[in-house]
């Protein structure tokens, strides 16, 4: 596959080189808008990486919603046993980022991008065998944990790759494109899964494995054809040892404030697909169909507004810090509004406000974190952000569940919304410390 990828890459390079030196092709590119568009796509690393994310998320989203259904209905396992999978996946998300960050700095972000997708494809094929031969539950669960871990490897490699090929001014725009790719994959996945619902479940994993291999091929051709920042040799740099990296993080108050703010923000963001769904259907009493429409609103808003809104903020020269504060305050306003919601429309308005906050704060947060890195430690530094994200998404639903069970709706959303205010305060400390 890699031989064919290199052959195709060389061939396309030759065509582009000829086209750039040929008067005929130069005129053709200038006159033909379709040719200009595809040349733009070829040269835009942000779009290429967004495509890699689309493959990655599409493969995951096709099968993920149907795993509990398969295990409970087709295998006849008790849901109490099946539900163990979700905390196991949470453990993988929490413990995988730091080793993946070290591997990224050791072997390079291109290697992790390719290895993460390729190994995920192999694990999906293994899971297809587990389904076909009805492997024991613990084998199935262990394979899913490893699959999640190599998915984190791709994510950390992507974060380091983007940090190394862009300037701080470019990052919000690039990150916005990646979020578009992520959401396209996540939106199409369940639809494709439902389309193939009548096929044997092992076919799902074959399909997802093939998608991951196709994603690997795409990444090799379009993301790794040039390496703008060569891998930094670390052997002779005492600053880049694991101990010194940890020491530098612990002594970097700016970074610690930023990571603490990230944790509190993720504790709140995780409520959207956990506590809010239970609250909406149980406490408010809206239908599942209405809830699905509200979640679709979230996805469509991201697809429609992510790139233009970030471009507008960039054009208006709005700095990262004001974007962080504005985004977190919108999070606070949206989640606080849920405490007063009495129907589907009120919940939809609240989700729209939260989505605006998400659109603004996520690229700004990535830019702020990546500004604390350099090419030699980007993997490890960005992996700390992934760790905070994993802890937030693992612990957040549990906190929301406890508040849902023991408090009123208004108290629950008031407490949860305060996480956004705490995050905003920590981001402000980060800004002050940076100026100092």
């Amino acid at each position: 596959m890699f031989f064919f990828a290199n052959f195709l890459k060389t061939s396309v390079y030759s065509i582009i080189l000829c086209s750039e030196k040929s008067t005929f092709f130069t005129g053709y590119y200038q006159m033909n808008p379709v040719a200009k568009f595809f040349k733009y796509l070829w040269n835009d690393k942000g779009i290429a990486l967004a495509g890699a994310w689309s493959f990655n998320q599409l493969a995951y989203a096709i099968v993920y919603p149907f795993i509990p259904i398969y295990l409970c209905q087709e295998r006849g396992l008790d849901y109490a046993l099946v539900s163990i999978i979700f905390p196991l996946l949470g453990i993988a998300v929490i413990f995988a980022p730091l080793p993946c960050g070290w591997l990224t700095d050791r072997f390079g972000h291109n290697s992790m991008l390719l290895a993460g997708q390729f190994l995920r494809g192999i694990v999906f094929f293994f899971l297809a065998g587990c389904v076909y031969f009805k492997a024991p539950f613990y084998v199935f669960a262990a394979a899913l944990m490893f699959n999640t871990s190599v998915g984190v490897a791709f994510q950390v490699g992507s974060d380091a790759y983007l940090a190394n090929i862009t300037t701080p001014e470019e990052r919000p725009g690039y990150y916005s494109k990646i979020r578009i790719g992520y959401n396209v994959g996540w939106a199409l996945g369940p639809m494709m899964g439902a389309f193939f619902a009548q096929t044997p479940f092992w076919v799902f994993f074959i399909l997802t494995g093939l998608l991951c291999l196709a994603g690997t091929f795409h990444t090799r051709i379009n993301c790794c054809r040039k390496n703008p920042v060569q891998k930094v040799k670390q052997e002779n740099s005492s600053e880049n040892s694991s101990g010194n990296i940890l020491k530098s993080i612990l002594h970097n108050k700016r970074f610690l404030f930023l990571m603490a703010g990230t944790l509190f923000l993720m504790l709140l963001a995780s409520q959207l697909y956990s506590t809010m769904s239970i609250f909406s259907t149980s406490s408010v009493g809206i239908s599942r169909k209405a809830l699905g429409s509200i979640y679709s609103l979230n996805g469509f808003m991201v697809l429609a507004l992510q790139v233009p809104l970030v471009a507008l903020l960039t054009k208006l020269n709005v700095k990262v810090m004001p974007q962080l504060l504005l985004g977190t305050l919108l999070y606070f306003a949206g989640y606080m509004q849920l405490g007063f919601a009495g129907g589907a429309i009120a919940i939809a308005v609240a989700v729209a406000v939260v989505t605006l906050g998400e659109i603004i704060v996520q690229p700004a947060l990535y830019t702020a974190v990546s500004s604390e890195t350099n090419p030699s430690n980007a993997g490890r530094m960005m992996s700390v952000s992934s760790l905070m994200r994993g802890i937030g998404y693992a612990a957040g639903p549990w906190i929301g569940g406890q508040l849902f069970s023991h408090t009123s709706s208004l108290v629950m959303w008031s407490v949860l919304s305060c996480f956004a205010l705490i995050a905003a305060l920590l981001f402000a400390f980060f800004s002050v410390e940076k100026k100092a």
Side-chain angles (χ1 to χ4, degrees):
M1 183 180 69
F2 289 115
F3 172 79
F4 178 71
N6 280 307
F7 172 77
L8 184 60
K9 176 186 72 173
T10 305
S11 302
V12 175
Y13 268 154
S14 300
I15 294 172
I16 291 177
L17 184 62
C18 291
S19 68
E20 289 175 347
K21 294 185 176 182
S22 167
T23 304
F24 170 77
F25 278 108
T26 301
Y28 180 73
Y29 275 124
Q30 291 174 348
M31 295 177 62
N32 192 312
V34 176
K36 289 173 66 177
F37 175 72
F38 280 103
K39 186 177 181 181
Y40 166 74
L41 291 183
W42 175 262
N43 291 319
D44 193 306
K45 290 293 185 69
I47 293 177
L49 193 56
W53 269 101
S54 291
F55 276 108
N56 196 57
Q57 280 307 113
L58 180 60
Y60 186 69
I62 285 175
V63 74
Y64 180 79
F66 302 97
I67 289 174
I69 298 173
Y70 159 74
L71 291 173
C72 291
Q73 295 183 1
E74 294 191 31
R75 294 288 297 271
L77 300 177
D78 186 73
Y79 184 72
L81 176 63
V82 173
S83 63
I84 295 175
I85 285 179
F86 300 106
L88 289 177
L89 297 184
I91 291 172
V93 170
I94 291 173
F95 285 99
L98 296 183
C100 290
W102 181 85
L103 290 170
T104 299
D105 289 335
R106 179 65 179 86
F107 297 104
H109 44 63
N110 286 351
S111 299
M112 295 302 287
L113 282 171
L114 296 172
Q117 287 181 296
F118 181 77
L119 289 176
R120 202 170 205 187
I122 299 301
V123 176
F124 276 132
F125 290 139
F126 177 78
L127 284 165
C130 289
V131 173
Y132 188 82
F133 294 106
K134 293 182 169 55
F137 172 77
Y138 67 87
V139 175
F140 195 85
L144 284 174
M145 283 188 70
F146 183 71
N147 184 275
T148 300
S149 298
V150 294
V152 172
F154 170 81
Q155 175 189 320
V156 173
S158 171
D159 288 345
Y161 174 88
L162 195 59
N164 287 343
I165 69 168
T166 59
T167 64
E169 293 75 21
E170 295 173 331
R171 283 168 197 161
Y174 273 72
Y175 189 75
S176 297
K177 295 172 185 176
I178 291 174
R179 280 179 53 77
I180 295 293
Y182 177 96
N183 280 277
V184 167
W186 189 251
L188 293 178
M191 294 170 57
M192 292 183 62
F195 179 79
F196 289 103
Q198 302 303 317
T199 63
F201 197 62
W202 60 269
V203 175
F204 278 57
F205 287 111
I206 293 292
L207 176 61
T208 54
L210 291 173
L211 281 170
C212 286
L213 295 186
T216 307
F217 181 78
H218 161 81
T219 303
R220 179 67 183 86
I221 293 294
N222 296 314
C223 297
C224 305
R225 55 190 172 91
K226 288 181 182 179
N227 191 358
V229 177
Q230 299 297 324
K231 187 179 72 172
V232 177
K233 293 184 178 181
Q234 301 177 45
E235 293 86 345
N236 299 324
S237 177
S238 61
E239 294 180 358
N240 291 322
S241 68
S242 298
N244 285 320
I245 284 288
L246 178 60
K247 183 179 179 180
S248 65
I249 290 175
L250 293 177
H251 284 82
N252 187 342
K253 292 183 180 180
R254 297 178 297 175
F255 191 72
L256 293 178
F257 282 134
L258 193 57
M259 290 301 96
T262 300
L263 174 59
F264 277 98
L265 193 63
M266 294 305 109
L267 287 172
L268 179 58
S270 66
Q271 308 302 321
L272 186 64
Y273 287 94
S274 55
T275 309
M276 198 200 78
S277 64
I278 302 171
F279 162 78
S280 300
T281 53
S282 300
S283 300
V284 180
I286 71 172
S287 65
R288 292 187 179 183
K289 184 178 180 180
L291 181 64
S293 299
I294 290 171
Y295 284 135
S296 297
L297 172 67
N298 170 262
F300 283 123
M301 284 186 65
V302 172
L303 292 176
L305 299 177
Q306 182 69 71
V307 171
L309 188 54
V310 169
L312 176 62
L313 292 171
T314 302
K315 186 176 181 180
L316 295 175
N317 200 28
V318 180
K319 301 299 183 182
V320 169
M321 189 58 219
Q323 291 185 44
L324 285 174
L325 292 178
L326 176 59
T328 51
L329 291 177
L330 285 171
Y331 264 84
F332 170 79
Y335 280 105
M336 190 67 208
Q337 186 177 335
L338 288 173
F340 302 94
I345 294 178
I347 294 175
V349 172
V351 169
V353 174
V354 168
T355 305
L356 284 175
E358 174 188 344
I359 290 171
I360 294 171
V361 82
Q362 294 295 343
L365 184 58
Y366 174 85
T367 302
V369 176
S370 61
S371 68
E372 300 296 316
T373 71
N374 61 62
S376 67
N377 66 14
R380 282 166 288 181
M381 298 291 278
M382 297 303 295
S383 70
V384 179
S385 178
S386 298
L387 173 63
M388 295 299 105
R389 190 184 304 121
I391 294 174
Y393 273 89
W398 180 84
I399 296 173
Q402 296 302 307
L403 290 170
F404 180 79
S405 299
H406 299 101
T407 64
S408 66
S409 297
L410 181 58
V411 172
M412 175 182 71
W413 290 115
S414 297
V415 173
L416 292 173
S417 298
C418 286
F419 289 161
L421 296 181
I422 297 172
L425 185 63
L426 290 165
F427 292 150
F429 286 152
F430 159 75
S431 178
V432 171
E433 186 69 28
K434 188 170 186 178
K435 289 178 182 178

